Amino acid sequence: MLKALDPVSINKTLLEHFFPPTEPPHSRGRLSCHPSADPLTKEEITHAPCKSSASPAPSSDGVPYSVWKNVNNLNPEILLHHLSPLVSFRYHPPSFKKANGVILDKFGKVSKDSPSSCGIIILLKTISKILEQVMTVRLSGFACSRGLLHPNQCGFLPGLSAFDTCLSRTHDVQTLQRPKLRVSTVFLDIKAGFNNVDAHCLRASLLTKGIPSYMVGWISSFVSERTCTLVFQGSPNLPVPVLVGTPPRFRILPLIFRIYVAPLHTTVPRAVVLSYVDDLSLTVASNSDRGNIRHLQRVFTIVSTKSKEIGVAFSVAKTELIHR
């Protein structure tokens, strides 16, 4: 793993790779209680740990979910009284935002001289995950009821898994092939999608879509002022401030990202746009592959224009075209 560098330099290089520098969000100033924030309920607190493994790898505090389950069983008021004010004050405390990032070599990567040959597993405090799970359930319910997600967006919601995405794409292709047409699909990957979301644009976008301001305020606090200690052989164990953008290591943020990129699912005549979080596919059909390519070029122009409006781009290296 980056053997030519000393541990401190490796630590710095990996941090820049996994947490690209971005403009920090504005200071929120003095905390104040939001008058319309919905207080947490005992049912929400009880349900959140049940959705998680009883023995995950916790962060530096070493507290597994089983501890919080037992605490909640003995006295449901403890977690409720500790976490509910954080929602009302739209605040996620710094003590909840300390994480360990375990660095692992990616399977199949021949070169070990680049940070791209490494992967990272983020270990968070389990009490922080309980509150995040509650807010994820609230946001997903709000997004579905208000139509903030396109029906062709998949991932991180019940009935919209990677398997469902594959089935849907297979169904679309087979339907288009029935009239003996040629079907072509271009696969696009949003370049560094999670980390390239601008915090200011994200906040404005969520408010514009009608998401409650108390929830937007808590999300802004959740992604800011985080620290991460990278763990690898010879690691200097230095906790360093990081800006997380919307990385997939957190449960709520892939859902936020889906809401953010929903405009990419614009209505395009004679084309099917399907996505799984930050992976997008454009499928068209005609009597020839050449005709499909011309149509895909027009569709891509429309989608690309939408992507520039929200500040995201597509990775050329990961773009693929398939004819069937």
Side-chain angles (χ1 to χ4, degrees):
M1 180 197 300
L2 307 177
K3 296 180 180 179
L5 302 176
D6 60 273
V8 175
S9 299
I10 292 175
N11 195 75
K12 182 175 182 294
T13 301
L14 290 173
L15 282 168
E16 292 176 349
H17 173 71
F18 290 111
F19 305 99
T22 59
E23 184 181 354
H26 298 301
S27 175
R28 60 175 292 147
R30 186 176 179 179
L31 294 176
S32 61
C33 185
H34 196 284
S36 63
D38 296 327
L40 299 185
T41 65
K42 292 181 181 180
E43 290 74 18
E44 287 179 314
I45 295 295
T46 301
H47 182 69
C50 293
K51 297 292 288 183
S52 305
S53 171
S55 57
S59 186
S60 56
D61 61 359
V63 181
Y65 279 116
S66 57
V67 171
W68 298 118
K69 289 180 181 179
N70 291 333
V71 168
N72 197 62
N73 290 335
L74 291 173
N75 188 348
E77 301 292 335
I78 294 178
L79 283 175
L80 185 65
H81 288 168
H82 275 75
L83 299 180
S84 194
L86 301 179
V87 177
S88 300
F89 281 85
R90 299 159 291 167
Y91 184 62
H92 203 68
S95 60
F96 282 14
K97 295 186 280 190
K98 297 178 181 179
N100 289 340
V102 181
I103 303 300
L104 302 172
D105 291 332
K106 287 184 178 179
F107 179 77
K109 290 286 185 178
V110 178
S111 174
K112 303 298 182 182
D113 298 327
S114 169
S116 61
S117 66
C118 303
I120 186 171
I121 297 176
I122 300 296
L123 304 181
L124 303 165
K125 294 180 184 293
T126 47
I127 190 171
S128 171
K129 291 183 179 181
I130 292 173
L131 180 56
E132 182 188 355
Q133 175 67 21
V134 172
M135 298 300 284
T136 301
V137 172
R138 284 191 176 188
L139 181 61
S140 62
F142 187 89
C144 293
S145 64
R146 297 295 182 90
L148 301 183
L149 300 173
H150 192 278
N152 285 357
Q153 283 184 283
C154 299
F156 294 93
L157 282 177
L160 294 172
S161 64
F163 182 72
D164 295 301
T165 310
C166 294
L167 285 180
S168 180
R169 184 175 289 121
T170 301
H171 174 268
D172 291 336
V173 170
Q174 291 177 346
T175 300
L176 292 170
Q177 286 178 329
R178 283 172 188 164
K180 306 300 181 182
L181 296 177
R182 292 289 296 169
V183 179
S184 301
T185 301
V186 62
F187 295 91
L188 305 171
D189 180 86
I190 298 178
K191 188 176 181 180
F194 294 107
N195 290 325
N196 273 348
V197 174
D198 182 87
H200 308 293
C201 293
L202 173 63
R203 179 180 177 85
S205 175
L206 294 177
L207 289 172
T208 301
K209 294 178 183 296
I211 294 176
S213 57
Y214 84 87
M215 192 176 292
V216 177
W218 180 86
I219 291 170
S220 297
S221 176
F222 181 86
V223 302
S224 63
E225 298 177 341
R226 286 192 166 272
T227 59
C228 184
T229 302
L230 297 187
V231 180
F232 56 88
Q233 186 174 6
S235 168
N237 291 319
L238 299 174
V240 178
V242 295
L243 295 173
V244 301
T246 55
R249 297 104 192 175
F250 302 93
R251 297 179 181 180
I252 194 170
L253 296 182
L255 175 59
I256 295 172
F257 183 78
R258 289 181 56 201
I259 296 173
Y260 186 78
V261 300
L264 298 181
H265 284 264
T266 182
T267 302
V268 182
R270 298 182 296 111
V272 178
V273 182
L274 185 67
S275 69
Y276 181 80
V277 192
D278 61 341
D279 295 310
L280 198 74
S281 68
L282 313 176
T283 300
V284 300
S286 70
N287 293 320
S288 67
D289 293 341
R290 187 178 296 275
N292 285 344
I293 291 175
R294 288 195 295 267
H295 190 28
L296 282 173
Q297 288 173 334
R298 292 191 292 268
V299 174
F300 177 77
T301 299
I302 296 172
V303 174
S304 180
T305 301
K306 291 289 184 181
S307 70
K308 292 177 182 177
E309 292 175 358
I310 60 175
V312 299
F314 299 107
S315 172
V316 176
K318 294 183 178 180
T319 300
E320 296 182 2
L321 173 64
I322 295 178
H323 297 295
R324 286 160 288 195

